Amino acid sequence: MEDSYTLIGKGINRVDAVAKVTGKAKYCSDYFEPDLLVGMVLRSPYAHAKIKNIDTKEAEKLEGVEAVLTYKTVPNTKFPTAGHPYSLDPSHRDIEDYSLLTDKARFVGDAVAAVVATDELIAKKALKLIKIDYEVLPFVTDQEEAIKEGAPIIHKERPNNIISDFGITVGDPEKVFENADKIYKNQYETQIVQHCQMETHNTIAKIDEKDRLVIITSTQIPHIVRRIVSQACNLPIGKIRVIKPYVGGGFGGKQDAVIEPLTAAMCLAVNGRPVRLQLSREEAIIASRTRHAMRVNIKLALSKDNKIEGYDIENLVNNGAYASHGHSIAMSAGSKIRPLYDIKAEKYRPKTIYTNLPVAGAMRAYGIPQICFVIECMVEDVCTDLNIDPIDFRLNNFIKEGHIDKASNLVVRTFGLPECLKRGRKLIDWDRKRNLYKNQKGPIRKGVGMACFSYFSGTWPVSLEAAGTRIVMNQDGSVQVQVGATEIGQGSDTVLSQMAAETIGIPFDMVTLVSNQDTDVTPFDSGAYASRQSFIAGQAVKKAATEVKRKVLEIASDKCGLDRELLDIKDGKIIEKGIKREIYTLKEIAMEAYYDKEKYAPITSDLTVKVKNNAIAYGATFVEVEVDIRTGKIKVLDIYNIHDSGKILNKKLAEGQVDGGVSMALGFALSEKFIIDEKTGAVINNNLLHYKIPTIMDTPKINSEFVDTYDPTSSYGQKSLGENTTISPAPAIRNAVLNATGVAFNKLPMDPQSVFEKFKEVGLI
Amino acid sequence: MEDSYTLIGKGINRVDAVAKVTGKAKYCSDYFEPDLLVGMVLRSPYAHAKIKNIDTKEAEKLEGVEAVLTYKTVPNTKFPTAGHPYSLDPSHRDIEDYSLLTDKARFVGDAVAAVVATDELIAKKALKLIKIDYEVLPFVTDQEEAIKEGAPIIHKERPNNIISDFGITVGDPEKVFENADKIYKNQYETQIVQHCQMETHNTIAKIDEKDRLVIITSTQIPHIVRRIVSQACNLPIGKIRVIKPYVGGGFGGKQDAVIEPLTAAMCLAVNGRPVRLQLSREEAIIASRTRHAMRVNIKLALSKDNKIEGYDIENLVNNGAYASHGHSIAMSAGSKIRPLYDIKAEKYRPKTIYTNLPVAGAMRAYGIPQICFVIECMVEDVCTDLNIDPIDFRLNNFIKEGHIDKASNLVVRTFGLPECLKRGRKLIDWDRKRNLYKNQKGPIRKGVGMACFSYFSGTWPVSLEAAGTRIVMNQDGSVQVQVGATEIGQGSDTVLSQMAAETIGIPFDMVTLVSNQDTDVTPFDSGAYASRQSFIAGQAVKKAATEVKRKVLEIASDKCGLDRELLDIKDGKIIEKGIKREIYTLKEIAMEAYYDKEKYAPITSDLTVKVKNNAIAYGATFVEVEVDIRTGKIKVLDIYNIHDSGKILNKKLAEGQVDGGVSMALGFALSEKFIIDEKTGAVINNNLLHYKIPTIMDTPKINSEFVDTYDPTSSYGQKSLGENTTISPAPAIRNAVLNATGVAFNKLPMDPQSVFEKFKEVGLI
């Protein structure tokens, strides 16, 4: 099966590599319109405050100000911003709690007014001229505080501040805990971090010559943005066109209609003239989306033979001021980690809670890095308590191939995780080092640690999984491929091109993938998220390419008289399968298709698949760290991410995903966090000087390994990889630090200050 | 059938009306690229000259000059420029006689070198610095001279200067002429005219971020331009993308790759940087395309009962220096006029001849205005000789419904021409005025005249007739329609939108037709010519819309349980046919199609039709003129074009076509011509001051009438109209002048100078 591939599995260079390094790829910033106006947003200085009065007269008078918008002048529809495919089932729809501009600020940075002006300086001046009389309200930033009696009510529709507390029970947790040999309990906690994509949110809106609203935007989800803008601005969806240029990173932060609806409203406020709204870095950090902080109380039931029998997980999720993706992330966190250890029962009790903080939403791996931290710390702590080797313990507890997840009914068809652990054990020199690093003294101590995870390849069966592809064959046998799946830096254009070329049977350079989605002509697809591109869109590309191949062979068969089954396409030529005789070039057939006066038609395929399937991917991180006891500084000496992501479509790109995902996880583990001013509720480190993402100087060489499995339900054996890479490094590092120092950090990040304080607390210094 | 239409036949405003009058529609001139370079062409001052030496050193040295191109530095492939669909039959392909830049100038204006520079001034300076040493050769401008022994040889591949003399014989002409009661002979002649589109040829070429050549061009034929540039520049067709913005008029002059190949070569010469080449008006007049001058010797055989038994037509066609559409136009001229009078036999003997003049190519009605002038003058002269009423004579000679054209086997299914004549007779008050205007004296004399024609609706069976349409239904039930058929001002976007809305069953404003063709994503279609848009592309739109409707009704049927045959779509709602019960909105069904998690798919249709059919359209012009004997000035007092174009899709647009076509014909009849300097072969009136197209001051009110017929093979009963409108006015005016003055003008134009001279010659003054 996979051995016969000529392009799948090859380390082909990105199709957009040259375009990007030469600056030729056009991002949203590179789009200009004559007389492009500048939009800017006035943001609340208060974490919680009602607008009593708003006076825009002075701002409006300023020369160069074209419009001033407030909640009074924009449509007051409440709408959801989450980049989810719409659901026909009302109970599965996102919460409609966001308005274009609010009459009540719910976090420091909430959009209370906006200005459209001829340039940025005037817009900034105008913002200062807007006078707002606020009634300042008490606010709450901690999720646990927010659900206490008497806490400030953030949305009157949910007086207890709970967005949802829908949970899940699998098996009979009561019985499992009753019969457990041992029960472990602990609390683990993760912080708020931010995506910090290289390109901040950037949108142009204009009314075109056909009187339709055109939105050019840096998004992961053009088709969903179209629907959300339609709802927010009360425009028929057919009167909206969304164009996605090259995108400088999404990571989930652009799986959300963060600024598109407001930019559209700005454009409508100036009679359809073009307006650009681009978030500054400071705005992007606080006013786009963040990763949910989670505070988790976990109980683990262990049997006499050291088998994990079940969990009871209470998860308090800090969602910030608006729902965005809301409870979906808590639910994803609970479900995607489940097909890992062979538990008998689980009680998962999440609460997704409004607070007066920036809005949490989708971020790479959608809740799993948090919950993986919890599980993999807990497991490590159990092993420490039992003095069992954590790898052996895990291997003893894993599910097996053929496992069926009790909640989702998903089947584990391939399970390369034990092999991942075997490889990692060897690569990090585990047995020798674990022994060597016992009982270290002195200021510099080393440790090795590991953690593992499970993840899905899409959102089925929770959500619709639709993907569309259109392929058009040119006269020379080359093809253009249009996909709804969006390239946002992850490399999907490249692997989808590989797939098309592989399946049709043409050289890679005969495929042109149309990179910029345009909802007027791009096949429907919900976009880039859930690591769904290669798994979901891959099925659409394969199906469309197969149809193209079939049509080519039908014409060839008609011409040469041989049955279609006897023919094949190899390297752009139609051959007779058995004797491998070349019969026609693809160009000859394509020319017949185009130019035969009576028969045939140009060869195209235009289809949408609805995928009812999901493949569970696995992986593990092995890491060696060095801890400076005196400074609290943790240095990663060596790190390996080892993935079972099925067939690796393109090793170069896969390694790139690991590089990016691990680097992001290093920040999550060691340095990144929102620092909240307790007095105001403001994020005081809303810039890249004080918000500490790892620089290249902080980043060790990141190593990746891939275990070969081949998912039989997948188009080319592949499973998800993109988000997976960022899941397990944080707990692996934490477990390595535990190995090095004997100190268990149960709260992220392990930044020098926190580590230093903890070392003081436990008496190490 | 037609009575049940809700949108077809309605005078709906153009979909691009507001865009065009507000300046929002982007033409090629409105496209800009950063650092867009300017291309300019050096043109030969000699009608015929070999380049002995070409020195570009000084030009290259000039600051701001990025490239200088000559025949030595560009690919030397010879290619055809005609906008014909490619033919798999080599004998039907266009003549490959054109090169990007020539080493031998064949007319004054031939492109001998080109410059790419940072601005226009520098480019102009650089052109002057190119030194060319010419060997000046004798030249020939008259087609009859060009085929004489010893004439200068223009292309060595055709030493007799004849591009083709392929003709056609129908029936037994020898016998017909033998048995004829009377034989009439005469010579008629038409001049060279030019399209003078409001927008001259304009092209941008650049290499995009994917290393593909992108051509943005004002063209009628984007898909054909792609193929021709591929051939001219030796690039695979899949590496080329052609984008057609809004176009400011084509009239056939942009059914030719006039400047795209050279612009591409300019771009390649500067490493893919963007270059614009735009023809000045002076260049466009002489260096794009012209209408073929024809000198026709015709013999007509008449029976005793005044029936036209047959013709013998010798047609000497002046093609200018390169083949372009070449002999196709002579052949079209011969064939499209044939299903008019019920002749028994015909000998058609065209010769398409190279001369040292600007290149003749396609122009509105593709040879028929010339040949219609011949036939309709001849018929008038016969009537004059016999003293028979010309209308009665024609009615007596017309073919009948059911007629089968002997050469093409096309069937005349509808024949509204007798009705056109009946209406015209009444409208112009024919019988009274013909009598009244007999034997006038004095300096101002009036006359009425008429002429009629037949025309086709596409190019079948001569050429491939392929048209593609893709329709995508949005979540709200509205649709985007992509067509390969190009809007060039004629209104095709509007009527194709009407068709899509009509067939699906939705309001007109729920259709968005994607106006700008982009060969990467636009369905294949050979473009706008041969008045094929509504007839040919109409079949594709109807088929795709029908498929969309079927898919909608399948989902509706699946949901409601009623058989699909019982359901229909009316005004955006799914109804039960009999009792007209509304069951669903279209939006409800579209939402299911998109968002049902397991079933259905977004509703699209993507198809190409190959049409094997043609419908013959008819029409007549009735005109009243006033002739000033003293000045030779002919004034059109009243003019009616009365068309049988099948079902009129949109009367507003149909009237617009008549206005434009008649106005163009007025120029052809009365004022337009190339004035050639006999000493140099140069066109000396290559500007709009001296080349006399009628202004609004010269143009009378133009009246249009449409006779209702309904072609059963057509998608909505329609037949061609666009080009038809310009065919019969010139002979009608000539015949009216004959009625007024008794003078038969057998040569166009009847400009005051020529008329004055003729009046002197015949002794009227």
Side-chain angles (χ1 to χ4, degrees), chain A residues 66-77:
Chain A
E66 302 294 319
V68 181
L69 295 83
T70 70
Y71 72 93
K72 291 177 188 171
T73 59
V74 294
N76 66 357
T77 339

Side-chain angles (χ1 to χ4, degrees), chain B residues 241-260:
Chain B
R241 175 183 178 196
V242 177
I243 294 168
K244 188 228 71 153
Y246 286 93
V247 168
F251 310 118
K254 295 172 186 166
Q255 190 204 343
D256 213 308
V258 175
I259 61 168
E260 292 88 350

Side-chain angles (χ1 to χ4, degrees), chain B residues 266-564:
Chain B
M266 287 172 164
C267 165
L268 296 172
V270 292
N271 284 319
R273 292 159 66 193
V275 181
R276 184 200 300 278
L277 173 58
Q278 174 166 21
L279 297 188
S280 67
R281 178 61 64 190
E282 289 73 13
E283 285 177 299
I285 288 180
I286 59 156
S288 62
R289 298 292 176 262
T290 66
R291 189 187 286 288
H292 292 79
M294 297 188 186
R295 184 174 298 142
V296 180
N297 292 303
I298 181 171
K299 283 200 298 178
L300 184 148
L302 200 74
S303 73
K304 264 183 208 148
D305 53 349
N306 295 333
K307 293 269 191 189
I308 305 171
E309 299 276 300
Y311 317 125
D312 182 328
I313 299 173
E314 185 205 36
N315 187 1
L316 299 181
V317 181
N318 191 332
N319 202 85
Y322 295 96
S324 175
H325 285 246
H327 202 54
S328 318
I329 287 172
M331 289 308 288
S332 156
S335 65
K336 290 187 184 167
I337 204 72
R338 198 179 308 110
L340 181 60
Y341 297 115
D342 196 19
I343 55 172
K344 289 190 179 132
E346 180 189 3
K347 189 175 268 181
Y348 181 59
R349 299 179 287 130
K351 281 197 179 70
T352 299
I353 301 161
Y354 281 130
T355 62
N356 292 111
L357 281 181
V359 183
M363 186 169 171
R364 199 173 194 166
Y366 213 69
I368 320 304
Q370 296 99 305
I371 214 75
C372 177
F373 181 74
V374 172
I375 302 278
E376 290 295 279
C377 290
M378 176 94 258
V379 166
E380 190 75 18
D381 293 349
V382 169
C383 295
T384 306
D385 179 64
L386 299 172
N387 196 24
I388 298 182
D389 179 80
I391 298 178
D392 295 337
F393 178 83
R394 285 177 169 89
L395 288 169
N396 186 42
N397 272 287
F398 283 154
I399 59 103
K400 303 271 177 296
E401 212 167 85
H403 174 84
I404 298 173
D405 180 57
K406 288 186 186 85
S408 63
N409 287 318
L410 293 175
V411 180
V412 177
R413 290 195 171 78
T414 54
F415 186 62
L417 187 56
E419 173 65 19
C420 292
L421 265 53
K422 229 168 88 183
R423 289 221 210 156
R425 179 170 219 145
K426 200 171 161 193
L427 285 163
I428 206 82
D429 195 7
W430 177 268
D431 296 294
R432 190 180 68 82
K433 287 185 177 167
R434 283 291 276 203
N435 197 43
L436 184 68
Y437 296 155
K438 269 181 193 162
N439 312 315
Q440 292 168 82
K441 306 283 172 204
I444 307 292
R445 303 182 193 173
K446 289 185 181 178
V448 291
M450 57 82 59
C452 53
F453 70 91
S454 59
Y455 197 67
F456 288 3
S457 307
T459 64
W460 181 263
V462 174
S463 287
L464 167 71
E465 277 300 1
T469 298
R470 180 167 178 251
I471 300 181
V472 174
M473 182 168 280
N474 299 313
Q475 290 91 332
D476 59 3
S478 66
V479 297
Q480 277 93 241
V481 179
Q482 291 171 266
V483 290
T486 50
E487 170 67 74
I488 56 166
Q490 80 280 54
S492 65
D493 281 2
T494 305
V495 295
L496 298 176
S497 298
Q498 283 176 270
M499 292 175 189
E502 179 76 51
T503 297
I504 298 173
I506 53 179
F508 184 69
D509 68 358
M510 283 176 78
V511 174
T512 295
L513 194 133
V514 179
S515 190
N516 294 357
Q517 280 70 29
D518 171 348
T519 56
D520 267 9
V521 302
T522 299
F524 180 71
D525 185 296
S526 36
Y529 56 83
S531 297
R532 63 191 288 281
Q533 303 294 80
S534 77
F535 188 78
I536 304 293
Q539 300 198 35
V541 171
K542 187 175 189 179
K543 193 171 175 188
T546 303
E547 189 173 314
V548 162
K549 181 174 177 175
R550 176 180 59 71
K551 289 180 177 178
V552 168
L553 294 184
E554 271 168 10
I555 296 175
S557 162
D558 189 38
K559 274 176 65 75
C560 73
L562 291 175
D563 192 274
R564 177 158 66 85

Side-chain angles (χ1 to χ4, degrees), chain A residues 146-206:
Chain A
I147 54 174
K148 284 187 180 158
E149 192 69 29
I153 296 170
I154 297 168
H155 291 268
K156 66 177 187 310
E157 295 79 4
R158 284 180 165 73
N160 59 4
N161 290 331
I162 294 176
I163 293 175
S164 175
D165 59 2
F166 182 82
I168 196 164
T169 299
V170 174
D172 187 345
E174 269 70 35
K175 201 174 134 197
V176 158
F177 277 94
E178 227 173 78
N179 299 340
D181 182 52
K182 281 186 181 164
I183 294 175
Y184 290 88
K185 280 190 204 179
N186 213 344
Q187 187 182 75
Y188 302 93
E189 188 168 359
T190 64
Q191 80 282 30
I192 301 175
V193 294
Q194 217 270 330
H195 315 72
C196 298
Q197 309 95 338
M198 203 179 298
E199 181 198 29
T200 62
H201 291 71
N202 194 333
T203 301
I204 291 173
K206 62 173 179 176

Side-chain angles (χ1 to χ4, degrees), chain A residues 109-122:
Chain A
D110 207 354
V112 292
V115 158
V116 182
T118 49
D119 68 40
E120 201 178 313
L121 281 175
I122 294 170

Side-chain angles (χ1 to χ4, degrees), chain A residues 209-210 226 238-239 246 461-462 470 474 476 480 509 513 521 593 596-599 606 610 612, chain B residues 209-210 226 238-239 246 461-462 470 474 476 480 509 513 521 593 596-599 606 610 612:
Chain A
E209 84 282 2
K210 291 176 198 282
R226 191 186 196 204
K239 297 289 180 198
Y246 286 94
V462 173
R470 180 167 178 251
N474 299 314
D476 59 4
Q480 277 93 243
D509 68 358
L513 194 133
V521 301
D596 185 286
K597 269 168 70 180
E598 309 214 357
K599 291 188 291 185
D606 182 13
K610 288 189 175 173
K612 286 165 274 187
Chain B
E209 84 282 1
K210 292 178 199 281
R226 192 186 195 203
K239 298 289 180 197
Y246 286 93
V462 174
R470 180 167 178 251
N474 299 313
D476 59 3
Q480 277 93 241
D509 68 358
L513 194 133
V521 302
D596 185 287
K597 270 168 69 179
E598 310 213 357
K599 290 187 292 186
D606 183 13
K610 289 189 175 171
K612 284 165 277 185

Side-chain angles (χ1 to χ4, degrees), chain A residues 157-353:
Chain A
E157 295 79 4
R158 284 180 165 73
N160 59 4
N161 290 331
I162 294 176
I163 293 175
S164 175
D165 59 2
F166 182 82
I168 196 164
T169 299
V170 174
D172 187 345
E174 269 70 35
K175 201 174 134 197
V176 158
F177 277 94
E178 227 173 78
N179 299 340
D181 182 52
K182 281 186 181 164
I183 294 175
Y184 290 88
K185 280 190 204 179
N186 213 344
Q187 187 182 75
Y188 302 93
E189 188 168 359
T190 64
Q191 80 282 30
I192 301 175
V193 294
Q194 217 270 330
H195 315 72
C196 298
Q197 309 95 338
M198 203 179 298
E199 181 198 29
T200 62
H201 291 71
N202 194 333
T203 301
I204 291 173
K206 62 173 179 176
I207 298 287
D208 73 3
E209 84 282 2
K210 291 176 198 282
D211 211 26
R212 293 166 83 232
L213 178 66
V214 178
I215 293 174
I216 303 164
T217 187
S218 177
T219 183
Q220 305 175 218
I221 47 164
H223 276 286
I224 294 178
V225 163
R226 191 186 196 204
R227 176 175 54 76
I228 293 175
V229 171
S230 158
Q231 184 179 353
C233 297
N234 289 322
L235 286 174
I237 199 166
K239 297 289 180 198
I240 300 171
R241 174 183 179 195
V242 177
I243 294 168
K244 188 229 71 154
Y246 286 94
V247 168
F251 310 119
K254 293 171 186 167
Q255 189 203 346
D256 214 308
V258 175
I259 62 168
E260 291 89 350
L262 182 56
T263 318
M266 287 171 163
C267 165
L268 296 173
V270 293
N271 284 320
R273 292 160 65 192
V275 181
R276 184 198 299 278
L277 174 57
Q278 171 166 24
L279 297 188
S280 66
R281 179 61 64 189
E282 290 73 12
E283 284 177 299
I285 288 180
I286 60 158
S288 63
R289 299 291 176 263
T290 66
R291 189 186 285 289
H292 291 80
M294 296 189 185
R295 185 175 296 142
V296 180
N297 292 302
I298 181 172
K299 283 200 300 180
L300 182 151
L302 201 73
S303 73
K304 262 184 209 148
D305 53 351
N306 294 334
K307 293 270 193 189
I308 305 171
E309 299 276 302
Y311 318 123
D312 182 327
I313 298 173
E314 185 205 38
N315 186 3
L316 300 179
V317 180
N318 191 332
N319 202 85
Y322 295 97
S324 175
H325 284 245
H327 202 53
S328 318
I329 288 172
M331 289 307 289
S332 156
S335 64
K336 290 187 185 167
I337 203 73
R338 200 180 306 111
L340 181 60
Y341 298 116
D342 195 19
I343 56 171
K344 290 189 177 130
E346 180 190 2
K347 188 175 268 181
Y348 181 59
R349 298 178 288 130
K351 280 196 179 72
T352 299
I353 301 160

Side-chain angles (χ1 to χ4, degrees), chain B residues 37-38 59-67 115-120 122-123 126 273:
Chain B
L37 299 169
V38 173
E60 277 159 18
K61 270 191 229 158
L62 188 67
E63 170 98 25
V65 169
E66 302 294 320
V115 158
V116 182
T118 49
D119 68 40
E120 202 178 312
I122 295 170
R273 292 159 66 193

